[in-house]
Amino acid sequence: AVSLLADRSPAFLEALKELDVPRVLLVGERTGVDLSIVPADVPIIRIPDAGHSMMSDNPESFVRAVAESLSPPERA
């Protein structure tokens, strides 16, 4: 638990911004987090009926969201 409160360098948001790969942020819809700080080019998928423990709160929706985020985009 101590490590969860420790200062990190880079911080999560900084690391997310610096990644040079496709990114998706999964977040439980009951999680009280300010999503306005997420970079505009990072899609956000909200997991319904879930908080921070998305995998436990709503495993079916979590798995579906992971699968969708890993699927290649459809070509026109």
Side-chain angles (χ1 to χ4, degrees):
V2 172
S3 69
L4 293 174
L5 300 175
D7 287 334
R8 300 188 191 298
S9 182
F12 170 75
L13 188 57
E14 293 167 0
L16 184 65
K17 288 178 182 179
E18 293 173 7
L19 288 173
D20 190 26
V21 295
R23 301 153 296 166
V24 175
L25 179 64
L26 304 179
V27 62
E29 71 177 7
R30 294 190 318 241
T31 302
V33 63
D34 179 8
L35 297 176
S36 69
I37 63 173
V38 177
D41 64 331
V42 176
I44 299 169
I45 299 177
R46 289 175 174 82
I47 308 300
D49 300 318
H52 182 73
S53 300
M54 299 171 283
M55 293 172 277
S56 299
D57 294 341
N58 191 339
E60 294 84 11
S61 291
F62 178 80
V63 169
R64 189 176 319 109
V66 170
E68 289 174 6
S69 68
L70 294 175
S71 298
E74 292 185 26
R75 295 183 183 194

